Amino acid sequence: MDGVYQHFRPEEQPFIDAASGWIVQAENQYSPYLTPFIDPRQAFILQSLISKNSEFMLVSLLTHERQRFLIKPDYFEENEADYQMCLFSIRYPSKFSNLSHPEILGALMNIGMKREVFGDILNVGNDWQFVVEEEVANYVQLNLTKIGKVNIQLERLPFTGALAIPDDFEHKFVTVSSMRLDSVVATVLNISRQKVKIMIEGGLVKVNWQVVKQANFECTENDMLSVRKHGRIQVLEQIGKSKKDKLKLNVRIKG
């Protein structure tokens, strides 16, 4: 595995080990393996591992950020039921109450849900939805009756009823002096590097949904950066160097 580890971060080794085990199980049984919900960076790593085996592929049902994937052999034709997921719509008195992403996330965690058993929390206007593993769906429906002080009910929906989330990310090409976290954030958001360093050390910046307090943290492809009050940046790819030997990046930005 050392040859694989060298292409990724040391802290990603536990996920690499788990993902490699999923692939081995799919190969040994020559049948699909269903993953838990994983984030885009983890999906990138998993796809990188699978690409070494031409007989298997990675497929998903939805186009959300956090997804549940099937590692499947070429012959297998999947259907919706194979993903073993449930889509819930949150019913609440929207004329008198408001919900927020942090409140819904906190409510799910408070009833004992681990992050890998549910996907994105979707929102358009006053409508809120989320996806969970089918195995825990009944438990969630029985126990999630309040979000904050708001009484709610959960309604199961077919996946054809999933909210269409607009892709309001803006594509942008930038040149950075390095892949350091402070350099990437400062350049993309046009903020001074010193100010960004203070923000990072103050815990205001996340990489792949985890707080990173080291300004010299090295970013890489498919990293999702979240900067409090400034939005999100997804590093898509490095596309060479400029004439001044700076790195050219393709990124997506959402304010």
Side-chain angles (χ1 to χ4, degrees):
M1 289 294 291
D2 289 345
V4 175
Y5 292 152
Q6 67 181 348
H7 298 292
F8 302 103
R9 299 184 178 112
E11 62 268 25
E12 292 173 329
Q13 289 185 11
F15 178 77
I16 293 169
D17 292 341
S20 298
W22 302 340
I23 296 169
V24 168
Q25 185 169 331
E27 290 173 340
N28 289 344
Q29 298 180 359
Y30 205 66
S31 62
Y33 183 91
L34 183 61
T35 75
F37 287 95
I38 59 177
D39 64 43
R41 173 63 183 172
Q42 292 171 325
F44 172 76
I45 295 172
L46 180 56
Q47 180 60 67
S48 300
L49 298 174
I50 290 174
S51 64
K52 302 178 186 302
N53 189 329
S54 60
E55 292 187 62
F56 283 79
M57 64 182 68
L58 195 63
V59 293
S60 62
L61 177 64
L62 306 171
T63 57
H64 302 157
E65 287 184 354
R66 291 186 64 85
Q67 297 192 58
R68 202 170 197 197
F69 291 88
L70 278 173
I71 304 169
K72 75 178 193 77
D74 293 340
Y75 79 87
F76 185 80
E77 295 185 7
E78 74 278 7
N79 58 51
E80 184 177 300
D82 293 315
Y83 291 93
Q84 299 176 30
M85 299 187 300
C86 174
L87 173 66
F88 280 126
S89 175
I90 303 174
R91 301 303 183 201
Y92 69 105
S94 57
K95 289 184 179 180
F96 311 104
S97 310
N98 293 308
L99 299 180
S100 69
H101 187 285
E103 287 175 327
I104 298 169
L105 178 62
L108 284 164
M109 303 296 279
N110 285 340
I111 62 169
M113 292 299 98
K114 294 182 179 179
R115 196 61 187 92
E116 61 266 24
V117 304
F118 62 96
D120 288 350
I121 296 168
L122 312 174
N123 171 234
V124 175
N126 291 325
D127 294 329
W128 291 89
Q129 298 177 349
F130 63 90
V131 183
V132 299
E133 291 184 1
E134 183 62 50
E135 186 177 343
V136 300
N138 287 339
Y139 174 86
V140 172
Q141 192 166 22
L142 285 172
N143 289 277
L144 188 61
T145 57
K146 255 190 174 183
I147 296 174
K149 296 181 179 180
V150 181
N151 291 317
I152 64 106
Q153 288 184 321
L154 298 181
E155 178 186 353
R156 291 179 183 243
L157 294 180
F159 283 98
T160 52
L163 292 172
I165 305 300
D167 184 2
D168 48 3
F169 277 86
E170 172 193 354
H171 282 261
K172 187 176 182 179
F173 293 95
V174 297
T175 57
V176 296
S177 57
S178 75
M179 292 298 288
R180 282 174 52 121
L181 180 59
D182 58 349
S183 175
V184 173
V185 172
T187 301
V188 174
L189 297 182
N190 195 25
I191 303 174
S192 75
R193 196 157 170 176
Q194 183 59 33
K195 183 177 179 180
V196 170
K197 184 178 179 182
I198 293 171
M199 293 166 65
I200 293 171
E201 292 174 349
L204 302 182
V205 179
K206 293 182 180 181
V207 180
N208 300 326
W209 296 270
Q210 300 295 322
V211 173
V212 172
K213 293 188 176 182
Q214 295 77 39
N216 63 353
F217 180 91
E218 287 287 313
C219 298
T220 189
E221 288 184 356
N222 267 61
D223 276 344
M224 182 68 78
L225 318 180
S226 302
V227 186
R228 192 178 300 177
K229 296 186 179 180
H230 290 275
R232 297 195 292 169
I233 304 162
Q234 185 177 16
V235 181
L236 295 178
E237 59 180 340
Q238 184 178 321
I239 51 176
K241 293 187 176 182
S242 68
K243 292 180 180 179
K244 295 184 179 180
D245 209 35
K246 287 192 173 184
L247 302 174
K248 298 165 76 173
L249 298 182
N250 179 13
V251 302
R252 296 198 312 152
I253 312 167
K254 181 177 182 179

